[in-house]
């Protein structure tokens, strides 16, 4: 009962007051802060990761870091600090995680009974993912958000807090880079589509991925 009373009391505290309590090792204040910003931070992280489980990990990491560094954190705008942390940690996680092309696009895997061809299909997407991962960090993210997640340039610019012109420049350079490997990727794709139920869908996806 005492903890519930304190939680109801602390709910009225502003962010600065809660941070003062956290600096004094008050775990209840951290829980209140977590509850206060959980939904909005999860939404921000999900915009980048498009994966609820990974976004939840990011939000949890934010508050773990706040607790671990509570004696040294000095911020005037806690909300801005949290939102920036959600964006940066999500981008870092996106760089580290293997992006699943199969989950991002409804492309069926080969229905052949030949495990060798199934392996070749997976290897093609792994190679595409590898090529994308070789781009500079922000360019890679811009490319994924546009080509795989389908976000418009204006949406990407808003999420990353950059200009639309910067997004356009990243996309132009990214497409030119991917075009260097177009023949190689199409060569693999045309071979594999002989054994796929959705060959036309695969080729449409690759055409969109490799062109302006």
């Amino acid at each position: 009962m005492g903890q519930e009373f304190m939680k109801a009391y602390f709910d009225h505290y502003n962010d600065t007051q809660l941070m003062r309590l956290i600096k004094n090792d008050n775990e209840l204040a951290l829980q209140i802060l977590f509850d206060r910003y959980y939904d909005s931070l999860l939404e921000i992280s999900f915009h980048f990761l498009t994966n609820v489980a990974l976004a939840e990990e990011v939000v949890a990491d934010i508050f773990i870091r706040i607790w671990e560094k509570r004696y040294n954190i000095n911020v005037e705008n806690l909300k801005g600090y949290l939102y920036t942390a959600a964006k940066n940690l999500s981008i870092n996680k996106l760089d580290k995680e293997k992006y699943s092309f199969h989950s991002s696009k409804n492309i069926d895997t080969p229905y052949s009974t030949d495990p060798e061809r199934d392996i070749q299909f997976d290897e093609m997407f792994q190679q595409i993912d590898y090529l994308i991962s070789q781009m500079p960090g922000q360019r890679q993210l811009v490319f994924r958000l546009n080509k795989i997640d389908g976000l418009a340039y204006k949406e990407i610019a808003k999420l990353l807090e950059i200009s639309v012109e910067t997004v356009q420049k990243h996309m132009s350079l990214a497409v030119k880079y991917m075009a260097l490997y177009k023949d190689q990727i199409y060569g693999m794709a045309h071979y594999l589509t002989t054994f796929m139920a959705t060959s036309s869908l695969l080729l449409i996806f690759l055409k969109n991925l490799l062109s302006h």
Side-chain angles (χ1 to χ4, degrees), residues 179-197:
L180 296 174
Y181 304 93
K182 182 182 292 187
D183 291 342
Q184 178 182 346
I185 293 172
Y186 274 134
M188 292 186 291
H190 279 295
Y191 170 73
L192 290 169
T193 52
T194 306
F195 311 98
M196 292 184 60

Side-chain angles (χ1 to χ4, degrees), residues 51-98:
N51 182 300
V52 174
L54 294 178
E56 288 174 341
E57 289 179 13
V58 166
V59 177
D61 285 344
I62 291 171
F63 289 95
I64 290 172
R65 294 185 183 198
I66 286 178
W67 184 254
E68 291 176 343
K69 300 178 180 180
R70 60 190 181 278
Y71 304 127
N72 300 316
I73 293 178
N74 293 295
V75 293
E76 295 182 2
N77 181 0
L78 183 62
K79 180 186 291 187
Y81 173 86
L82 293 173
Y83 286 2
T84 300
K87 182 184 76 173
N88 291 341
L89 289 178
S90 297
I91 292 173
N92 289 340
K93 185 174 286 292
L94 187 63
D95 287 339
K96 293 176 183 177
E97 294 290 334
K98 288 291 290 180

Side-chain angles (χ1 to χ4, degrees), residues 29-129:
L30 182 70
Q31 181 62 51
I32 293 170
L33 201 65
F34 178 87
D35 294 340
R36 181 175 295 177
Y37 285 105
Y38 178 82
D39 289 340
S40 56
L41 294 176
L42 187 67
E43 183 177 355
I44 290 171
S45 183
F46 183 78
H47 269 302
F48 291 95
L49 297 169
T50 63
N51 182 300
V52 174
L54 294 178
E56 288 174 341
E57 289 179 13
V58 166
V59 177
D61 285 344
I62 291 171
F63 289 95
I64 290 172
R65 294 185 183 198
I66 286 178
W67 184 254
E68 291 176 343
K69 300 178 180 180
R70 60 190 181 278
Y71 304 127
N72 300 316
I73 293 178
N74 293 295
V75 293
E76 295 182 2
N77 181 0
L78 183 62
K79 180 186 291 187
Y81 173 86
L82 293 173
Y83 286 2
T84 300
K87 182 184 76 173
N88 291 341
L89 289 178
S90 297
I91 292 173
N92 289 340
K93 185 174 286 292
L94 187 63
D95 287 339
K96 293 176 183 177
E97 294 290 334
K98 288 291 290 180
Y99 196 96
S100 173
F101 281 82
H102 300 286
S103 64
S104 66
K105 292 289 180 182
N106 294 321
I107 300 174
D108 295 337
T109 54
Y111 60 63
S112 74
T113 57
D114 189 342
E116 181 67 26
R117 293 196 183 102
D118 292 349
I119 292 173
Q120 291 173 339
F121 180 85
D122 290 334
E123 287 179 347
M124 180 186 69
F125 281 98
Q126 289 173 10
Q127 182 169 351
I128 294 172
D129 188 66

